[in-house]
Amino acid sequence: MGIVKIGDELHEELRKSSGVMCRSINAQAEFWIKVGMLAEANPGLSFTEIMAQQLKEADVQVPGIKAA
């Protein structure tokens, strides 16, 4: 484990979003870092596509939404 120094404003946004997402502040920061790395490595993919790919790789079964 390491220490990453970030600005107060970003830390406040992490704190607020971690509450909404039911994650610790550290887990929220780690999530944002991972998604950012994946987005840089895959610039043609949307956030939704990146998340779908990660869920598939973890063998998570996500039910599809049927159009009306």
Side-chain angles (χ1 to χ4, degrees):
M1 180 190 296
I3 295 175
V4 177
K5 292 188 179 195
I6 60 172
D8 291 340
E9 188 174 309
L10 181 56
H11 187 273
E12 180 62 15
E13 295 305 310
L14 272 168
R15 187 192 64 72
K16 291 187 291 188
S17 64
S18 70
V20 171
M21 302 306 293
C22 300
R23 298 181 178 122
S24 69
I25 293 174
N26 288 345
Q28 184 66 35
E30 187 174 343
F31 176 76
W32 280 356
I33 290 167
K34 181 177 181 178
V35 171
M37 287 175 53
L38 290 168
E40 281 189 341
N42 301 280
L45 296 180
S46 68
F47 172 78
T48 302
E49 291 167 328
I50 289 170
M51 291 296 94
Q53 182 181 45
Q54 292 297 296
L55 290 168
K56 183 178 178 182
E57 288 177 13
D59 199 28
V60 175
Q61 302 299 316
V62 179
I65 299 174
K66 296 181 183 180

